[in-house]
Amino acid sequence: MTHSTVQDPDTPSMQLDNASPAEMDLDGDLENGLIRPLDSEELVLALEEARILVIGAGGLGCEILKNLALTGFKNLDVIDMDTIDVSNLNRQFLFRRKDIGKPKAIVAAEFVMQRVPGVQVTPYFGKIQDKDDDYYRQFQTVICGLDSIEARRWINAKLVDMVDDEDPTSLKPLIDGGTEGFKGQARVILPTINSCYECSLDMFNKPTTFPICTIANTPRLPEHCIEWASVLEWPRVWGKEVKYDTDNPEHITWLYQQAQTRAEKFNITGVTYSLTQGVVKNIIPAIASTNAVIAVFKIATSTAPYLNNYMMYTGNDGIYTYTFEHQKKPECPVCGNLTSSVTLDPNMRLDEMIDWLKDKPDAQMKKPSLRIEGLSLYMQAPPALEIATRPNLSKTLSELLEEGDIITVTDASLPVSLQMKVNWK
Amino acid sequence: MSVSAPLIDLKTQKYDRQLRLWAVTGQTALEHANICLLNATSTGCEILKNLILPGVGSVTVVDANLVQEEDMKTNFFLEPASLGQPKAKAVVELLQELNEDASVTFTIKEPRDVIHEDKAFFDPFTMIIATNLHERENMELADLCEKTNKTLVIVKSKGLVGIFRIQGPEHPVIETHPENPVDLRLGNPFAQLKQYSNSFDLDELDQTDHAHVPFIVVILQAVEKWKKENNGKEPQSYSERNEIKAIIRKGMRTSDEENYEEAIANIWRLAPSSSSIPSDVRQVFEDPACNNITAQSEHFWIVARAVRDFFENEGHGRLPLPGKLPDMKSDTTNYVALQNVYRDKAKKDLAAVIGHVNALLKANDIPENSISQDMIESFCKNSAHIKVVRYRSLEDERVKNPETDKIVTWLENEDNMSYYMVYRAADLFHEKHKRWPGSRGGDNLEDVKLLRIEVAKVLGSLQITKEKSDILLQQQAMENAITNYVRFANRETANLSALIGGLAAQEVIKLITRQYIPINNTCVFNGISSTSAIFEL
């Protein structure tokens, strides 16, 4: 890229060359609030050469693809592993009733190419994890319209991992964010440079999980009855191997009826089919207008990275937008350089420590395995190793560790391992 | 599996994600709306997309132009085959297929002509959305809408900065959907709540039961204990509440008792400030419309007055109890019993309010049952969070009573006010030079000079002194706004159109569903800095 010297909201961020004084005037000066004339020729060329990856072809994905295509980008890729459902049609406007059941990525790509001449949209119907480093290296920017924390952690870690200090083009800005009802947020992640997705994990509320004793013994809310049906009663009746399918109305109906019966037993009101669906699928309300706003925030942040770096939006009471800089965490397990330090009670048992790890909002682990150099403390898998390390669970930490030891924690939900240096309380 | 799925109709399935926001009542209102879009601009079409997808009833697009190359670059609702066709017809085809539930039609007419010569055309519409019209037409339209009680949304969208302004009839909102609507009345527990709380003998309970006493009871009993130790005085201050906290901590048997921790965490609910009524509600109560109930009064005001009457009588200075209980650590029986205590009180309060409503109806010769029970119940559940939004007319804003002082302060402190000025100046520019600023393309320093002259004129028309005006014109924000506007080259951009489309449609939905709180009255979105500002002009 030899032209496009200054960032402009309508061009993707390219290399930051220095502009000559003669060029500066018409190039605009974004840091001081001036844009370049919007009918400039250079804009068009820059857009045509860029390759952008859009992850997710749902509510946000549809809006992002439309906007990128109209803006003038010619090479777009889109990944989505889902097929189209009737409940998508109120906002995912690239799909019609006749498309129900078809892969989102493919239908979205076809629609955009037909509507906007000249743009090439290459779909992939599958998981982001199916693709390798070579695939991701092709793109200038990655824009996400995802609905899962795990997927976001994965792509975040992948892009951080790909950064090669010797090669500036290996740095791919990752634009993330989501919406819920009238609210949303968008943020730009410059891998290894600013706050990454993992750095901000503790900002997100853990999805509501009710304590098992409430579900089993003292339900109070209709939600507790529904969780009882899905978490306890379903496996009891159908066996642990058979999982319920949240897209199967028969399954939802069964859960609803079970929840209803239980609620009646406890004089609890409020169990409905809609609530059952909402709890079991963790449904988040969504409308086109909020997606429209956040999609543009995403595109704006991808083209003006001086915009630091997290934009929040609420629309339920008036309109309110707020931008702030989320700080990078030096001890972030994905992008940080420091090992995090942890102060522990030497008399704490290993199983208690594992429970504590599971509750940490900044790590969100499910089944962590722990080892120190030369010794596996507790490994969740494979079964032989689990059995072998199980006796350690009832030992105190002082029996297993010394101050200064570095514990390596691994977990399926952690894209990398976590290093923790031990200090005694 | 031998269950048959309940017959959830296709529409409910399709709209599931939005029904969770505004329920069937909101959806019905949306489906009865009839909206007119003037000018098939990219922004206008984006607004419509966000209304058609959720199922708005009817939309009519008015535009006399034919589709040009330029239009297709930024409007998703035009395709190659649209070139040369009437724009209104072309966009309607592609908008209609977004949702068969909505009725989307077109009229090939120049909005300007309809506004000046055929006002009756607007009769069937409940809302008019005017995009990138000239100020002259906007003012005429505003006058028409004021006289016919229609809502008007004026949108200006060029380049990277967009503005929209709402003018409409008085807009009361009952369902504002507040974030934390819990009202527990701990500071002044009603009789049944006291009775329920006193029915517990905490010391006699075994460990399991002790750990499952609802925190409300824990707090109330601690308050009683404190009162006994303080001559029956009511705890008022922060330090007194800390003393109650200490009593609670003493009552904790083990460090694991979550219910006791909840009690400590909720002590703040005893503070006197949490029992006073919010200022928005006070304003409603003190409003002349609430004072003077007549046969012509809107239902909202009749019910508001009934609630005020309740507040002043049976309510003893408290609003009707909403009756909702948040979850808390407790066993089922106690929780349900406590929930019923709150629900019963809420029912009693509702009955009293209904009594007042009926009295008001009778006193004004309005037929009984004119106001639905559902509406009164909704009001009672939401009484602490109601809001009335009143919009100043465009005439007041521009002609009769401009907010000059506020505008000057904003110009000095809020960058985005400059764009409001520049857009107004652009209209004067067009009147004088018969073309829009920047329409000749490129950098166009000449247009920047000329536009600055018109900005000065607008400032002058607001009675701002030349001295002050010169200072304001020299500010960096104003310089940038003028220069940038010219560089917009008088065209829309896809991204800004999409964004304004989202914001404006959201406000339209709030206005139609009468849920959530709409802005009052002007929103500027700056796509260069990615900032927004709301001005009440």
Side-chain angles (χ1 to χ4, degrees), chain A residues 397-415:
Chain A
L397 295 180
S398 57
E399 290 178 73
L400 297 162
L401 308 165
E402 278 174 9
E403 196 156 36
D405 275 344
I406 296 180
I407 304 177
T408 301
V409 184
T410 51
D411 183 273
S413 64
L414 264 184

Side-chain angles (χ1 to χ4, degrees), chain A residues 218 220, chain B residues 211-214 259 328-336:
Chain A
T218 59
R220 297 174 294 267
Chain B
H212 282 87
V213 172
N259 55 336
M328 60 190 69
K329 184 81 177 171
S330 164
D331 60 66
T332 309
T333 316
N334 281 329
Y335 182 82
V336 172

Side-chain angles (χ1 to χ4, degrees), chain A residues 278-300:
Chain A
V279 170
V280 158
K281 290 175 77 115
N282 198 25
I283 287 179
I284 292 174
I287 46 177
S289 46
T290 315
N291 286 339
V293 173
I294 298 301
V296 177
F297 278 15
K298 290 187 168 184
I299 291 170

Side-chain angles (χ1 to χ4, degrees), chain A residues 7-301:
Chain A
Q7 289 104 319
D8 181 292
D10 265 7
T11 60
S13 71
M14 305 289 182
Q15 296 166 355
L16 301 173
D17 294 330
N18 291 318
S20 70
E23 286 176 310
M24 272 306 276
D25 212 44
L26 272 178
D27 276 347
D29 181 10
L30 274 182
E31 297 243 346
N32 290 319
L34 281 178
I35 62 165
R36 140 196 321 182
L38 291 183
D39 54 349
S40 101
E41 284 286 309
E42 287 168 314
L43 237 63
V44 179
L45 291 169
L47 297 175
E48 287 182 358
E49 292 183 26
R51 276 196 81 166
I52 313 284
L53 172 63
V54 179
I55 304 186
L60 283 166
C62 286
E63 301 278 347
I64 294 167
L65 285 169
K66 157 177 73 77
N67 295 340
L68 291 176
L70 283 178
T71 300
F73 289 92
K74 298 294 182 204
N75 299 294
L76 306 173
D77 279 64
V78 60
I79 302 181
D80 195 307
M81 60 185 216
D82 274 337
T83 56
I84 297 159
D85 179 72
V86 65
S87 67
N88 299 148
L89 300 179
N90 80 327
R91 65 204 183 280
Q92 299 175 21
F93 58 90
L94 299 177
F95 313 138
R96 301 285 174 266
R97 207 174 275 288
K98 63 172 173 51
D99 299 318
I100 292 174
K102 295 190 196 158
K104 288 189 181 185
I106 294 176
V107 176
E110 272 170 20
F111 193 116
V112 174
M113 285 193 284
Q114 215 202 22
R115 183 62 63 84
V116 183
V119 64
Q120 182 64 35
V121 186
T122 310
Y124 175 66
F125 170 41
K127 297 198 167 108
I128 48 176
Q129 291 88 344
D130 296 344
K131 297 295 191 182
D132 61 13
D133 289 13
D134 283 336
Y135 175 81
Y136 290 107
R137 271 196 200 100
Q138 305 171 89
F139 305 105
Q140 266 71 50
T141 305
V142 179
I143 307 184
C144 290
L146 285 168
D147 58 1
S148 110
I149 292 182
E150 268 154 62
R152 285 172 166 118
R153 289 174 90 177
W154 189 89
I155 187 67
N156 175 68
K158 167 67 70 185
L159 293 181
V160 167
D161 195 48
M162 274 168 52
V163 174
D164 174 359
D165 288 332
E166 312 284 308
D167 173 16
T169 68
S170 69
L171 199 159
K172 321 285 183 188
L174 172 65
I175 316 301
D176 187 44
T179 67
E180 176 169 351
F182 290 94
K183 303 181 186 178
Q185 75 273 353
R187 44 103 62 102
V188 61
I189 295 170
L190 299 174
T192 72
I193 295 185
N194 69 0
S195 157
C196 82
Y197 186 73
E198 198 81 9
C199 292
S200 66
L201 214 50
D202 55 9
M203 268 184 73
F204 305 107
N205 297 322
K206 260 184 124 162
T208 324
T209 44
F210 305 108
I212 207 76
C213 60
T214 304
I215 303 204
N217 305 318
T218 59
R220 297 174 294 267
L221 301 179
E223 287 87 339
H224 299 158
C225 302
I226 295 165
E227 285 265 300
W228 173 86
S230 62
V231 171
L232 295 179
E233 191 66 355
W234 177 283
R236 191 188 73 81
V237 171
W238 303 105
K240 288 208 174 102
E241 306 307 310
V242 180
K243 298 283 176 224
Y244 54 80
D245 176 3
T246 60
D247 289 324
N248 184 331
E250 281 187 8
H251 291 194
I252 305 282
T253 306
W254 187 90
L255 291 170
Y256 161 59
Q257 287 169 349
Q258 292 296 316
Q260 180 74 289
T261 309
R262 181 167 176 82
E264 273 161 23
K265 199 169 113 182
F266 284 89
N267 288 317
I268 294 170
T269 57
V271 175
T272 61
Y273 184 89
S274 171
L275 186 67
T276 305
Q277 222 187 6
V279 170
V280 158
K281 290 175 77 115
N282 198 25
I283 287 179
I284 292 174
I287 46 177
S289 46
T290 315
N291 286 339
V293 173
I294 298 301
V296 177
F297 278 15
K298 290 187 168 184
I299 291 170
T301 54

